[in-house]
Amino acid sequence: MKLKDLESCLQQVDTFEEPKVLLEQYPTSPHIAACMLYTIHSSFDDIEGKLVADLGCGCGVLSIGAAMLDAGLCVGFDIDEDALDIFRRNAEEFELTNVDLVQCDICCLEAEAYAQKFDTVIMNPPFGTKHKELRYDLPASYKFHKKKSVDIEVDFMRFSKT
């Protein structure tokens, strides 16, 4: 699948209907998601046929993209049942069979031991780091946001077990 085709498909993914400020729910844009996933897939061969974990998956844009890039299985983890309901509907719309959902607080997982069970772990872009930089157009999601959107810098990082 080409990058532009992946981004086009991800534009069809529904996002938060009512984002929860306490959970800091911001949708990952189709452009950012496609760029991240395409790089992980084409540069590092870390998606196709792999067992992929999506931590804090929200509505599932990264999981769905990984599934479209032929992940063996992508498991999305999120604490919010409402977000997982949207994820479930998205996965059904795309008729994906290589995704699964787990409702849990990922902060409570024993991260190192748990991560060993997956080939690849993905998550929304981390904020406030200094590595490969991407631009993230963060739309106004809450009533207290005064601007329509804000363009912020985020980083793309890859960690390897080896």
Side-chain angles (χ1 to χ4, degrees):
M1 177 178 280
K2 294 181 180 180
L3 174 60
K4 67 178 183 172
D5 296 330
L6 179 61
E7 183 175 346
S8 178
C9 287
L10 295 180
Q11 290 174 352
Q12 306 306 312
V13 174
D14 291 333
T15 61
F16 299 104
E17 294 162 359
E18 294 183 33
K20 297 174 181 161
V21 70
L22 293 177
L23 296 177
E24 296 184 16
Q25 292 176 326
Y26 295 97
T28 301
S29 74
H31 176 72
I32 292 286
C35 288
M36 286 175 55
L37 294 166
Y38 192 79
T39 299
I40 294 166
H41 173 68
S42 62
S43 297
F44 302 105
D45 193 30
D46 283 340
I47 293 184
E48 187 174 348
K50 307 290 186 187
L51 180 56
V52 178
D54 181 2
L55 303 183
C57 64
C59 300
V61 69
L62 295 178
S63 292
I64 289 167
M68 290 177 175
L69 292 172
D70 296 322
L73 177 65
C74 189
V75 182
F77 296 87
D78 204 285
I79 194 169
D80 184 31
E81 185 176 345
D82 295 331
L84 291 175
D85 286 342
I86 297 168
F87 184 152
R88 192 172 291 107
R89 288 194 310 263
N90 282 325
E92 288 170 2
E93 280 252 337
F94 285 101
E95 299 179 354
L96 298 171
T97 58
N98 56 339
V99 294
D100 200 1
L101 314 171
V102 176
Q103 184 180 5
C104 69
D105 184 349
I106 60 172
C107 295
C108 294
L109 298 174
E110 294 181 24
E112 185 177 333
Y114 194 76
Q116 297 296 323
K117 298 179 184 194
F118 290 90
D119 300 309
T120 304
V121 177
I122 57 177
M123 60 187 290
N124 275 334
F127 298 92
T129 59
K130 300 293 177 202
H131 298 280
K132 183 175 178 181
E133 184 180 293
L134 298 169
R135 303 297 296 183
Y136 191 109
D137 184 29
L138 191 63
S141 302
Y142 304 102
K143 290 179 182 177
F144 63 84
H145 287 163
K146 295 184 180 12
K147 296 181 181 179
K148 183 176 179 179
S149 68
V150 176
D151 192 34
I152 61 171
E153 298 174 2
V154 297
D155 300 300
F156 178 76
M157 297 185 294
R158 178 179 186 265
F159 300 95
S160 176
K161 293 179 186 178
T162 58

